[in-house]
Amino acid sequence: MQHILMIEDDARLAAMVSDYLGQNGFDVAPAPDAQSGLARLQTAGVDLVILDLMLPDMDGLQVCQRIRALPGALGQVPVLMLTAKGDPMDRIIGLEMGADDYLPKPFEPRELLARIKAILRRKGSPAETSAQVMQFGSLEIDRDARRVSVAGQACDLTSYQYDVLVALAERAGRVLTRDQIMEAVRGRELEAFDRSIDVHMGRIRAAIESDPKAPQRILTVRGVGYVFARQQD
């Protein structure tokens, strides 16, 4: 059974989600505020965090940032952020802080379940390919370890950003639209807000490019999408 930590101050919503996900094979531990959630994350095995943006003691964006600052596997736990705000900028900032995905309130429990399964599937299943280590100059993508490094230095990527990078690298030299990237990573499209790909791309470039403002590896094809350059930097 996979374990989910839900940091949510709405007790009624937390109970509803816990019951629904429990019926679908997940163990959900609710935490009503940021402090108790962060404490539980560090003392119990957690496979995924559902994080509300609006919490009584701390902004959800700060909580996400603190999670990403934790050492080792704790800092890499997938985070699905819940937001009641309609402004796309709040969602963009959440992704920039390291969230793997987001879901605006109100939401359908079936969609939440689908997103959780998609995130955990990406986390637990390496892409099907014979080459488990891909090398592009100083950039190395280790599929078995789900680790990306540049010149031997590990890159700080979320599980979603890792999968976006792999999807591009697998198709090096081929221009992909945002929809194609989302389809390759999610398995099926669950979100029409395709500008989130741009946010993730910026984070990936910051991690792997020597100069993110003048990228050499992940190139933008204006009006179309992105392409992973085959050649050396």
Side-chain angles (χ1 to χ4, degrees), residues 67-77:
I67 291 174
R68 290 295 172 243
L70 293 173
L74 283 176
Q76 297 300 314
V77 64

Side-chain angles (χ1 to χ4, degrees), residues 168-195:
L168 286 166
E170 285 179 338
R171 300 159 178 82
R174 174 183 165 190
V175 179
L176 299 178
T177 66
R178 293 180 181 86
D179 286 344
Q180 287 172 328
I181 294 170
M182 293 175 73
E183 183 71 20
V185 173
R186 295 181 187 272
R188 61 184 177 126
E189 187 176 358
L190 294 174
E191 177 57 68
F193 185 65
D194 67 357
R195 304 304 294 186

